[in-house]
Amino acid sequence: MTQPLHFHPSEGFAARARAATADPALRKGFRGAMDFLQTKRQAQFTDAAELSDLRDLGAAIRRYSLSRLPELLQQLETNLVANGIHVHWAENADEANAIVIDIARRREAKLVIKGKSMVSEEVALNHALEGAGIEALESDMGEYIVQLAGEGPSHIIMPAIHKTKQQIAELFAAKVPGVTYTENVDELILIGRNVLRQKFAEADIGLSGVNFAVAETGTLCLLENEGNGRMCTTVPKVHIAITGIEKVVEKLEHVPPLFSLLTRSATGQAVTTYLNLISSPRKPGERDGPEEVHLILLDNGRTQAYNDEQLRATLQCIRCGACMNHCPVYARIGGHAYGTTYPGPIGAIVSPHLLGIGATHALATASTLCGACAEVCPVRIPIPELLIRLRNEAQSAADSGSELRGAGESRSVLVSMIFRAWALMYTHPMLYRIATWFMSRGRALTPTAQGAWTGIRTPLVPAPKRLRDLLAERNSRHE
Amino acid sequence: MDSPIQAVRRYPSKPADVYLFATCLVDQFAPDAGLDAVRLLEREGIRVHFPQAQTCCGQPAYTSGYPDEARAVAVAQMKLFPEPWPVIVPSGSCGAMMRHHYPKLFADDPAHLPVAEELAERVFELTEFLVHVVNFQRADRGDPYTVALHTSCHARREMNAHLTGHALLAGLDQVTVVRQVREEECCGFGGTFSLKHPSISEAMVTEKVESLRATGAERVLSADCGCLFNILGRAEYLDKVAACSKPSLPGEHIASFLWRRTGGGEQ
Ligand code: SF4
């Protein structure tokens, strides 16, 4: 089952994180995978100056595109329609799913074969199709594995990264008819391929995501490694692409720098095996390609980010996953603990717009603000700054005038009182001096139980004399 | 190097006077580190002024969603440094707060923004100041010794202080710095993060302690007390659990180590 809609990821986050950190297999798996991906990325970017320039360019392209978002979306629609591609606008998940189901019903479709699409995960499309009596089958190997397991992806690029070879072997033996247990990776892939090959031929509709939508030419760019994306978009009679409204760029020439940043940041590949440029359905006389091509452009809260000068940077994202690959928190808890479609740092900054700040406030706090994400983000999203902003919004008072959905919902009266008292003490040097004097002189009375701190550490004990005392003593001696 | 601060700031010449902003952690929990920072600077012929009204940079509120409280505390500090002298901070994290985040905190407050910006320009992390302004060149006076350096995240990514920390240690002939695996990775402190998400913090700090211990270094150093307390507190706790009488990972602020190694206290 994919996750239900209107999920509340903050609820139970601490328990999921605790369970994940206590799971040695999960810890080892993620640590190894993240180390591997970090090394691969590093090997692609040996020239720091070149990387810095390319990131500047990538960020500039994304900022420029967003600065003209409404116009570019209109231009995209005009050119796609001129190319014979149907364009649909979906305000939210339900609308997006209804559009797919409508097309499927009209075409009397029974099987939808899917290429990798995080937006389809975001709207829980498989769940909706199932409800409509239509089978949805994932054809990306990682997605196929998590679908077989009845799970969701734990990483936006490598959905089954949490699974070991043995777990996949057991899964295939249990779930794929006629398969005997094997841990041979090549054999496992072949098993999946054989199943999928057959299904590509049977499927009525192919569904895919989009990496970049080019407004000027009406082109949909799709990056992939397995060839399943090309199959999904060419073999079935209908191709439906689904993506967020932020994925538009103006010109074809804007794609190569983003493409290069994306593949190198994501998997440390210089290029992906496939780069599909889809610009129309099959034309008369052409030998392959779908009869119908549709694009669904999903908002689902993105407009909220767009409307905020600072939070708009969230939409620069090209979904490379580098922020999660370098996140020390993600490496410890994996993707599922977040409870959102998009985990890790990008998940923490984008989910509040999709699900509301009240439902997602725990994610923004699950960061030490170490800055590893922003250091690698290919389009220079200042992730820690956005996390701080989201924390402010989560704690904002009722009269703050915040326009963000769910702002202030999770404000804690106790914590706000603590910070008010803290500010009082730290803005009044006299109070501070008295309080810390008592703490240092009464250090023998320092509690040994200091909440979560001493759950795993020895207590913090004030020094017998504060620095200000030592310096004052020194000065009086010198005089 | 790909950090928000590329440019190394140097002073026209070594200033005669500086301010010390010690941070609340150093003042209350690690005064020796603060004192050693003062001694290091004074030995270079610099007068160190410590405004007694200083408290905290305001970071705990700033990162917890309480910008109003952070601003109030920041304003109280901003008044304390009227002379155009450099403000030296023996913490990369608090230094970065004043250098990079004060201007952001007051972006919409025209009354305070100029003060915040002017102050930010002259805030230096201690090791940054020693390397780039003081041109610290004191000879190592100690016996052969091994250390590991924990380069805190804000010090590293916002102040480039991992470079200056390593540069200072490289200047000590008899000291060998043993590099830990994943040196650039966070120790799991994160201020209130360590209290809000204890299991994640535990996972992070435990791995950091393991990688530091694995260096076999005799001592771990850091220019940030928050991280240091996190790491040392965890190591001590694990020692207790293992009934180990000798500390498996002793550590201290880099200022204290530097002061001792370069002959501090001998005069
Ligand atoms: S936020 Fe940046 S690093 Fe993270 S997925 Fe998006 S583009 Fe990649």
Side-chain angles (χ1 to χ4, degrees), chain A residues 18-328:
Chain A
R18 205 177 318 117
T21 53
D23 178 346
L26 181 146
R27 291 279 297 278
K28 191 161 162 261
F30 274 96
R31 179 87 258 181
M34 298 305 110
D35 283 352
F36 175 74
L37 288 165
Q38 288 181 17
T39 312
K40 291 257 293 180
R41 174 189 172 273
Q42 196 97 59
Q44 279 294 330
F45 294 121
T46 47
D47 182 340
E50 185 243 37
L51 169 61
S52 185
D53 290 349
L54 190 56
R55 290 174 72 212
D56 284 343
L57 179 60
I61 292 171
R62 291 301 298 133
R63 283 192 203 116
Y64 169 75
S65 310
L66 292 169
S67 75
R68 299 190 49 209
L69 187 63
E71 300 157 60
L72 291 185
L73 284 169
Q74 273 172 10
Q75 191 185 7
L76 176 70
E77 178 173 32
T78 307
N79 289 323
L80 285 171
V81 170
N83 290 347
I85 296 177
H86 303 274
V87 177
H88 311 261
W89 301 89
E91 180 89 36
N92 53 37
D94 289 345
E95 283 187 25
N97 291 332
I99 293 164
V100 178
I101 291 169
D102 265 4
I103 299 170
R105 292 233 164 99
R106 185 168 48 74
R107 301 285 311 203
E108 293 174 359
K110 292 184 185 55
L111 174 63
V112 175
I113 194 145
K114 294 178 66 198
K116 200 171 155 15
S117 155
M118 286 308 293
V119 172
S120 78
E121 297 286 345
E122 175 186 331
V123 300
L125 177 64
N126 294 5
H127 183 70
L129 286 173
E130 204 179 297
I134 301 159
E135 185 190 348
L137 181 71
E138 298 288 349
S139 68
D140 171 274
M141 195 52 65
E143 291 283 353
Y144 175 69
I145 292 166
V146 294
Q147 188 183 28
L148 269 187
E151 297 171 355
S154 62
H155 188 286
I156 63 171
I157 300 288
M158 285 142 292
I161 201 152
H162 58 289
K163 288 244 176 282
T164 61
K165 196 168 60 180
Q166 290 76 14
Q167 286 170 330
I168 296 168
E170 282 163 23
L171 186 68
F172 276 29
K175 294 278 176 76
V176 184
V179 166
T180 47
Y181 185 91
T182 172
E183 287 184 14
N184 182 315
V185 175
D186 291 334
E187 282 178 31
L188 286 168
I189 290 177
L190 201 63
I191 293 167
R193 280 221 170 136
N194 287 337
V195 174
L196 294 168
R197 258 305 128 163
Q198 182 60 32
K199 293 286 189 177
F200 278 119
E202 288 169 23
D204 309 287
I205 294 176
L207 190 129
S208 77
V210 174
N211 293 97
F212 313 108
V214 184
E216 204 176 63
T217 54
T219 310
L220 307 177
C221 308
L222 180 63
L223 280 50
E224 45 129 1
N225 282 318
E226 297 173 11
N228 68 308
R230 183 155 299 174
M231 298 285 281
C232 284
T233 56
T234 54
V235 178
K237 293 213 167 95
V238 179
H239 167 214
I240 304 175
I242 180 165
T243 196
I245 52 171
E246 79 280 18
K247 290 284 175 65
V248 65
V249 294
E250 186 187 14
K251 295 167 188 285
L252 214 43
E253 70 203 53
H254 290 158
V255 172
L258 296 177
F259 173 69
S260 173
L261 280 167
L262 175 52
T263 62
R264 293 159 84 192
S265 302
T267 46
Q269 290 172 281
V271 289
T272 44
T273 318
Y274 294 86
L275 165 59
N276 305 287
L277 299 175
I278 298 158
S279 50
S280 77
R282 183 196 298 211
K283 289 182 187 143
E286 284 182 348
R287 292 173 52 191
D288 59 8
E291 292 165 8
E292 276 180 35
V293 178
H294 299 262
L295 174 68
I296 302 173
L297 287 159
L298 176 74
D299 184 334
N300 203 25
R302 287 163 174 79
T303 304
Q304 171 174 287
Y306 170 79
N307 285 335
D308 184 285
E309 202 187 328
Q310 183 183 27
L311 299 175
R312 182 180 290 184
T314 313
L315 303 180
Q316 282 167 224
C317 178
I318 55 172
R319 300 287 190 269
C320 71
C323 55
M324 50 195 83
N325 299 346
H326 291 76
C327 177

